[in-house]
Amino acid sequence: MNEDLTVAALAALAQKHRLQAFRFLVQHGSDGAAAGDIAQHMGVPPSSLSFHLAQLEHAGLITRVRQGRSLIYSANYAAMTALVGYLTENCCGGRETCLPGQAA
């Protein structure tokens, strides 16, 4: 992941509703969730949610497919993994003792 994509992804996630929507989609796996279900879970109006989902999609963090009359959104796990990888690739100068989940 390059620096521009990283900045776009972090900017998209740096808002409460977008972060909540992304985490909700990550929990739903590859099946994703309908926009209406996401809005209901978050308690936000569908029009507001559409704006937030568009920001996440533009940053490459989620994908959207039409199934009949519904729009189904899914987390883009490859983009999420690339983002985390970019943020941790030079962690502690490469010393294994400070990698996430390990004591420093």
Side-chain angles (χ1 to χ4, degrees), residues 1 4-13 18 22 25-26 52-64 73-83:
M1 177 172 265
D4 291 336
L5 291 173
T6 301
V7 169
L10 291 173
L13 293 171
R18 290 193 291 268
F22 183 71
L25 290 171
V26 167
H52 294 304
L53 292 175
Q55 298 299 309
L56 291 168
E57 188 175 8
H58 179 72
L61 293 170
I62 65 172
T63 59
R64 170 183 54 146
Y73 292 87
S74 301
N76 180 343
Y77 293 99
M80 180 179 70
T81 301
L83 176 61

Side-chain angles (χ1 to χ4, degrees), residues 11-77:
L13 293 171
Q15 199 282 338
K16 178 182 173 179
H17 290 121
R18 290 193 291 268
L19 181 59
Q20 287 175 350
F22 183 71
R23 289 175 52 95
F24 181 78
L25 290 171
V26 167
Q27 292 170 357
H28 275 75
S30 60
D31 291 338
D37 294 339
I38 302 167
Q40 183 177 17
H41 169 77
M42 293 176 52
V44 298
S47 59
S48 295
L49 181 67
S50 294
F51 171 78
H52 294 304
L53 292 175
Q55 298 299 309
L56 291 168
E57 188 175 8
H58 179 72
L61 293 170
I62 65 172
T63 59
R64 170 183 54 146
V65 296
R66 181 170 291 282
Q67 287 184 356
R69 294 176 46 190
S70 297
L71 291 174
I72 306 298
Y73 292 87
S74 301
N76 180 343
Y77 293 99

